[in-house]
């Protein structure tokens, strides 16, 4: 645990140089375990694969078919989401937990807006969210909608950033599907975004969803009465956040811009 001005800080954004490199195993040595029959021998766990960090990410970028086959299952995708968005306590060093969380988030967000057209095979991971019976989307969005959290912890801001990056990757490729799913979650979506509006990345994701108008079923948040509802809910109970008022201004400015340019 690090300290800032004498105050303990639970988590910081992961830095590669902090990793205990002695705990890493060469990815080449893990390759056979990516496809071995679990009935014959326990395969390498997702957590152990995530310990590989940049080596694992490079293998994924290069299209390692064994790695893709290993990762692209509902259970393993769920494990990646868990590492990327939920605090871990597995009796291992904190640095390694942060390293695993960072690597899982990078894997899940790698198919975002900057991915090249010839890298479409990377979508196999994201496709699982859409192809499932919403259970994987439930698990991902549980970070914001279901799981009790303490935004005062430094780990919250790090995990919130990872969560938002994964959602942005999904929105880039599947905006209508994500909007359709969020409609099924009802009023909790709007309420929880307002509740956590003090976190900048959550506010920016909220703005992205507000601007999501050209999707099947129409805008996720209909404009009528939205400004009044926004101000009313913002006045209620929510975690403290240094940027809450600034983030509220960002959302209001977005709504005003939409009103000005909507025919």
């Amino acid at each position: 645990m690090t300290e800032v001005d004498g105050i303990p800080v639970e988590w910081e954004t992961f830095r590669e140089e902090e990793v205990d490199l002695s705990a890493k195993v060469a990815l080449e040595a893990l390759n056979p375990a990516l496809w071995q029959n679990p009935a014959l021998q326990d395969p390498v766990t997702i957590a152990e694969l995530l310990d590989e960090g940049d080596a694992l990410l490079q293998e994924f970028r290069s299209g390692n078919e064994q790695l893709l086959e290993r990762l692209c299952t509902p259970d393993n995708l769920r494990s990646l989401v868990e590492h990327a968005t939920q605090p871990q306590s597995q009796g291992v060093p904190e640095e390694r937990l942060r390293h695993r969380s960072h690597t899982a988030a990078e894997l899940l967000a790698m198919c975002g807006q900057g991915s090249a057209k010839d890298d479409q095979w990377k979508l196999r991971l994201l496709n699982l969210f859409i192809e499932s019976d919403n259970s994987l989307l439930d698990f991902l969005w549980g970070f914001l909608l279901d799981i009790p959290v303490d935004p005062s912890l430094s780990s919250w801001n790090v995990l919130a950033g990872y969560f938002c990056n994964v959602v942005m990757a999904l929105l880039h490729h599947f905006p209508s599907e994500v909007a359709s799913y969020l409609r099924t979650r009802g009023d909790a979506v709007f309420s929880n975004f307002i509740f956590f509006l003090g976190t900048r990345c959550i506010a920016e994701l909220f703005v992205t969803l507000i601007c999501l108008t050209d999707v099947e079923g129409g805008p996720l948040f209909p404009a009528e009465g939205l400004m009044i509802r926004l101000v009313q809910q913002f006045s209620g109970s929510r975690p403290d956040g240094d940027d809450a008022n600034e983030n509220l201004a960002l959302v209001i400015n977005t709504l005003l811009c939409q009103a000005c340019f909507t025919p």
Side-chain angles (χ1 to χ4, degrees):
M1 184 174 290
T2 59
E3 292 190 359
V4 177
D5 297 330
I7 301 174
V9 176
E10 185 191 76
W11 260 38
E12 295 177 334
T13 301
F14 168 75
R15 294 196 296 269
E16 179 72 30
E17 63 267 21
E18 295 176 346
V19 179
D20 179 10
L21 297 178
S22 65
K24 294 179 123 186
V25 181
L27 185 63
E28 290 78 8
L30 293 180
N31 274 339
L34 294 175
W35 50 266
Q36 70 186 192
N37 186 347
L40 301 177
Q41 184 178 355
D42 290 339
V44 171
T45 66
I46 293 299
E48 289 170 325
L49 287 176
L50 292 174
D51 284 337
E52 294 302 311
D54 285 343
L56 180 69
L57 296 176
Q58 184 56 43
E59 288 295 316
F60 185 76
R61 289 189 190 98
S62 67
N64 183 315
E65 186 61 31
Q66 293 177 353
L67 180 59
L68 283 168
E69 289 296 324
R70 178 68 200 280
L71 295 179
C72 294
T73 70
D75 286 345
N76 288 335
L77 177 58
R78 184 182 177 92
S79 181
L80 289 176
V81 172
E82 183 176 9
H83 278 89
T85 64
Q86 297 182 22
Q88 303 291 307
S89 55
Q90 302 173 358
V92 298
E94 181 185 354
E95 290 82 2
R96 192 176 301 176
L97 292 177
R98 287 189 291 159
H99 178 258
R100 290 173 179 177
S101 184
H102 171 82
T103 303
E106 287 290 299
L107 279 172
L108 292 169
M110 199 177 288
C111 298
Q113 194 165 353
S115 58
K117 289 183 179 179
D118 58 356
D119 288 344
Q120 290 301 300
W121 49 265
K122 292 179 185 175
L123 286 175
R124 285 167 61 178
L125 262 183
L126 295 187
N127 275 328
L128 287 174
F129 284 107
I130 307 305
E131 293 169 355
S132 70
D133 57 356
N134 282 348
S135 59
L136 289 171
L137 285 173
D138 284 339
F139 194 65
L140 172 64
W141 280 93
F143 174 83
L144 191 71
L145 304 180
D146 301 322
I147 299 174
V149 294
D150 183 356
S152 66
L153 299 176
S154 59
S155 59
W156 157 255
N157 288 316
V158 175
L159 296 176
Y162 293 161
F163 164 76
C164 290
N165 286 341
V166 177
V167 172
M168 288 299 292
L170 276 168
L171 282 172
H172 177 65
H173 295 287
F174 308 108
S176 292
E177 290 83 353
V178 173
S180 176
Y181 166 76
L182 290 178
R183 289 190 190 97
T184 70
R185 298 302 303 264
D187 192 60
V189 177
F190 185 89
S191 299
N192 280 274
F193 269 108
I194 301 303
F195 187 71
F196 293 116
L197 203 59
T199 303
R200 186 65 179 188
C201 63
I202 298 295
E204 290 173 347
L205 178 57
F206 187 39
V207 164
T208 299
L209 292 171
I210 288 174
C211 294
L212 203 64
T213 57
D214 189 21
V215 291
E216 251 180 70
L220 182 58
F221 302 115
E224 186 176 353
L226 186 57
M227 186 76 77
I228 295 174
R229 187 180 175 205
L230 174 66
V231 174
Q232 286 175 338
Q233 286 205 223
F234 188 77
S235 302
S237 173
R238 68 180 187 281
D240 293 331
D242 294 338
D243 299 324
N245 290 329
E246 181 181 340
N247 293 343
L248 176 63
L250 170 68
V251 176
I252 290 176
N253 286 338
T254 300
L255 290 171
L256 291 173
C257 288
Q258 276 196 311
C260 289
F261 291 100
T262 299

